[in-house]
């Protein structure tokens, strides 16, 4: 009975990334019996987040807000209110109420991490949400022509292929709680999200990367469904993995989860107008490098293509559950 109880405990899963894709996936994962810690990028410098970052000298709140909303067990109306973005009010235009609340909580509590913790309590968040670092970081990119672009929001607009991205300062300290969560994790999940501006920046925080490499947890990568113009043009699944390997210097993942569902031609045409296309699954190349591939129909289309959170979270939970059973 004691061993059975050990197997049935909630697996500890650390989810690392940023952006819309991460939030969509977390909406599915929170319905599973998992102990979730989300570690979120603090490199954002555009829009409302960029303004609050510069004016209040706090880490950018936008990605954190989206993750809090995804994991919240709050009334739908409250979630809608916190995601509300002011349109024409002088001084408030462009800001979301949730970003302003995070800024206010930071001011009241004295630091950003405590502010997140307090807002999490108010929203009955299922799990923990942590910034990758307790300070805002500047993301820079060296492009294929040798030029250097500064700022997360500016990198996709540069019109050049990205050679590498790097942080300033290079020796940024991760949040201690984030490192501890990785060390205690049964599973580490990275992606989906913007490869160079949401995923890799977290992995460039030195001690975070070391903790991930040294962890005995099962490591999963969820690949994006579509390429991102100015960032991953014409990238295959293998190209995404190669970019991470080139930055970190390690083969990180045990499993790669990818979409192989058909995207309707009219939807592909809509995305093609903006320079995006479906990420090609180069299965032989990926498996030859030692990755196990889980491929399934993982997309839904409403206004935009999104991961099917329910189907995706099912695959993730089964992988984690089987991994833990094998370890016992």
């Amino acid at each position: 009975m004691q061993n059975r109880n050990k197997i049935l405990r909630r697996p500890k899963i650390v989810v690392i990334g940023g952006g819309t894709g991460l939030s969509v996936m977390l909406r599915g994962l929170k319905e599973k019996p998992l102990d979730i810690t989300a570690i979120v990028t603090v490199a954002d410098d555009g829009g409302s987040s960029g303004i609050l970052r510069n004016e209040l000298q706090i880490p950018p709140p936008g990605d954190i807000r989206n993750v809090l909303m995804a994991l919240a067990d709050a009334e739908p109306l409250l979630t809608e209110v916190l995601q509300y973005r002011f349109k024409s009010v002088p001084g408030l235009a462009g800001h979301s109420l949730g970003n302003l609340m995070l800024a206010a909580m930071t001011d009241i509590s004295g630091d950003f991490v405590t502010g997140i913790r307090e807002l999490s309590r108010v929203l009955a968040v299922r799990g923990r949400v942590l910034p990758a670092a307790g300070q805002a970081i500047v993301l820079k990119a060296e492009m294929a022509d040798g030029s250097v672009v500064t700022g997360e929001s500016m990198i996709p607009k540069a019109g050049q292929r990205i050679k590498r991205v790097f942080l300033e300062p290079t020796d940024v300290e991760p949040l201690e709680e984030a490192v501890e969560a990785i060390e205690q994790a049964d599973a580490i999940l990275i992606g989906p999200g913007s490869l160079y501006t949401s995923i890799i920046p977290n992995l460039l925080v030195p001690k975070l990367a070391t903790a991930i490499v040294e962890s005995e947890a099962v490591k999963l990568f969820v690949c994006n469904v579509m390429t991102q113009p100015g960032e991953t043009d014409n990238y295959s699944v293998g190209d995404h993995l190669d970019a991470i390997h080139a930055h970190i210097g390690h083969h990180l993942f045990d499993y790669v989860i990818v979409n192989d569902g058909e995207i309707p031609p009219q939807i592909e045409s809509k995305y093609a107008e903006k320079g995006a296309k479906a990420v090609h699954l180069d299965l032989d190349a990926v498996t030859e490098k030692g990755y196990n591939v889980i491929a399934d129909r993982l997309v839904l289309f409403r206004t935009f293509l999104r991961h099917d959170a329910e189907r995706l979270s099912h695959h993730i939970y089964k992988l984690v559950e089987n991994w833990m059973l094998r370890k016992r």
Side-chain angles (χ1 to χ4, degrees):
M1 178 63 78
Q2 189 175 6
N3 288 337
R4 179 69 174 164
N5 288 337
K6 285 182 180 179
I7 293 172
L8 291 178
R9 73 168 174 83
R10 285 176 176 256
K12 295 180 179 181
I13 183 168
V14 172
V15 184
I16 301 173
T20 306
L22 179 64
S23 301
V24 169
M25 181 179 65
L26 286 171
R27 286 189 177 91
L29 284 179
K30 77 176 182 182
E31 302 301 332
K32 300 295 183 183
L34 293 166
D35 181 348
I36 300 172
T37 298
I39 298 175
V40 186
T41 181
V42 284
D44 189 8
D45 65 354
S48 170
S49 286
I51 293 169
L52 293 172
R53 166 183 173 147
N54 293 331
E55 292 187 354
L56 302 179
Q57 300 301 302
I58 63 172
D63 283 341
I64 296 281
R65 180 200 79 241
N66 283 329
V67 170
L68 286 172
M69 296 302 103
L71 289 174
D73 203 14
E75 292 293 329
L77 179 59
L78 177 58
T79 301
E80 186 178 347
V81 167
L82 291 176
Q83 293 286 46
Y84 175 77
R85 197 173 292 275
F86 295 95
K87 297 177 178 64
S88 57
V89 181
L92 292 177
H95 286 297
S96 73
L97 183 58
N99 281 1
L100 296 176
M101 284 192 67
L102 265 172
M105 283 289 197
T106 300
D107 197 37
I108 291 167
S109 66
D111 75 72
F112 189 58
V113 176
T114 305
I116 295 169
R117 189 179 297 120
E118 290 303 309
L119 191 55
S120 297
R121 185 174 55 80
V122 170
L123 296 173
V125 165
R126 300 188 196 179
R128 286 191 301 167
V129 180
L130 301 171
Q135 66 185 90
I137 54 178
V138 176
L139 185 66
K140 295 188 175 185
E142 180 185 355
M143 314 307 285
D145 66 353
S147 62
V148 174
V149 178
T150 299
E152 177 267 347
S153 62
M154 300 305 297
I155 291 169
K157 301 175 184 176
Q160 290 278 341
R161 188 174 179 88
I162 298 168
K163 183 177 180 181
R164 69 182 181 104
V165 291
F166 56 99
L167 301 182
E168 192 175 273
T170 56
D171 59 349
V172 61
E173 284 289 322
L175 207 66
E176 189 174 326
E177 295 98 315
V179 175
E180 289 174 356
I182 290 169
E183 291 173 345
Q184 296 169 10
D186 298 301
I188 298 169
L189 175 61
I190 296 175
S194 300
L195 178 64
Y196 288 103
T197 53
S198 289
I199 293 174
I200 290 177
N202 295 293
L203 303 178
L204 293 177
V205 178
K207 292 179 184 176
L208 276 189
T210 299
I212 294 168
V213 169
E214 294 178 351
S215 170
E216 295 182 1
V218 61
K219 296 161 194 170
L220 319 173
F221 177 67
V222 180
C223 192
N224 294 337
V225 175
M226 305 297 290
T227 62
Q228 185 171 348
E231 194 160 334
T232 54
D233 299 280
N234 298 313
Y235 270 38
S236 66
V237 173
D239 290 330
H240 283 76
L241 294 164
D242 288 347
I244 293 172
H245 190 280
H247 281 80
I248 312 307
H250 290 274
H251 180 105
L252 282 187
F253 306 109
D254 301 294
Y255 292 92
V256 180
I257 303 175
V258 300
N259 172 64
D260 69 351
E262 184 178 351
I263 298 171
Q266 66 271 24
I267 306 304
E268 285 196 321
S269 296
K270 180 178 179 179
Y271 274 84
E273 291 173 3
K274 298 180 180 179
K277 65 180 184 179
V279 174
H280 169 64
L281 172 55
D282 45 345
L283 183 60
D284 290 343
V286 172
T287 53
E288 283 173 8
K289 292 171 184 173
Y291 300 102
N292 297 295
V293 176
I294 306 296
D296 193 7
R297 179 175 55 81
L298 296 175
V299 289
L300 294 173
F301 179 78
R302 293 187 177 94
T303 307
F304 301 97
L305 276 175
R306 293 284 184 256
H307 275 99
D308 182 330
E310 185 176 348
R311 190 181 289 261
L312 178 58
S313 61
H314 170 75
H315 281 293
I316 292 167
Y317 182 72
K318 294 305 292 183
L319 282 172
V320 175
E321 185 180 50
N322 290 336
W323 180 270
M324 291 185 67
L325 287 169
R326 287 201 301 270
K327 282 176 62 179
R328 296 305 174 196

